[in-house]
Amino acid sequence: MNEKSLPLNSLHLKLLAMVTMLIDHMGFTLFPYTLWMRCVGRLAFPIFCFLVAEGCAHTHDKKRYAARLLVFAVLSEPAFDLMHGVWFTMDYQNVLWTLLAGALICWCIDWALQKKTPAAFLLTGAAVAAAFCLLELAGTDYRGWGMLLVVLFYGVRRVSCGTVVKRTAQAVGLAVFSIGIMGGVSIELWSLAALLPLWLYNGRRGYSNRAVQYGFYAFYPVHILILSLIALYA
């Protein structure tokens, strides 16, 4: 498989993730009994996990990358709470915290592989376990399983093997995630449909500038705030 000849770049994946996430959140806030919208929305999170894994690999400034995720995670929290019908709660947190944890763990793994010492691997394993437990306790969207999906995509892209093997590993990992996140078979299995656009990814960034970059981050809190206000007051 010649990856460079495939049709989808990073920009295409971002747009697809945004559209499917919007449909999902419209189903959650405005049309709660419309199951097909929630099924379509299952594609969004795996694509975002894949994009974060790609971002972790390509970024030239890890601190700035993590800072962006942190800032928008904080900014998104009020809108996320409102989407769940309350003005403030500590029972559940938005998905950017999960993605941030995934990025940090990916870099911890890089550090361990660079050090190649038992202590480094032990500390990284402890960090993975601690992050998983923290996300579960905090109730972040997709919780510890979501973090592991980011790590899976990152680990697969690091392994020196054929594209078909990598795609197969992604499929198996995504299936485990889809079942594990809900504790059994559910509509989360629709997330496997995200494999199609991921398989068509050509490894290129596509058009990007600072406005586009921050626009994608801002889309998350802005659209859930608008949908939540419509649901509450329309």
Side-chain angles (χ1 to χ4, degrees), residues 114 153 211:
Q114 182 181 17
F153 284 138

Side-chain angles (χ1 to χ4, degrees), residues 18-32 37-38 78-85 87 218-234:
M18 287 171 61
V19 170
T20 53
M21 179 174 63
L22 176 61
I23 293 172
D24 181 40
H25 290 161
M26 288 176 65
F28 183 83
T29 56
L30 305 180
F31 309 103
M37 300 181 81
R38 306 308 313 283
F80 185 78
D81 290 345
L82 189 60
M83 186 172 69
H84 287 81
W87 290 100
F219 177 80
Y220 180 67
V222 170
H223 91 275
I224 59 177
L225 177 60
I226 292 172
L227 290 176
S228 301
L229 292 175
I230 292 173
L232 285 173
Y233 298 112

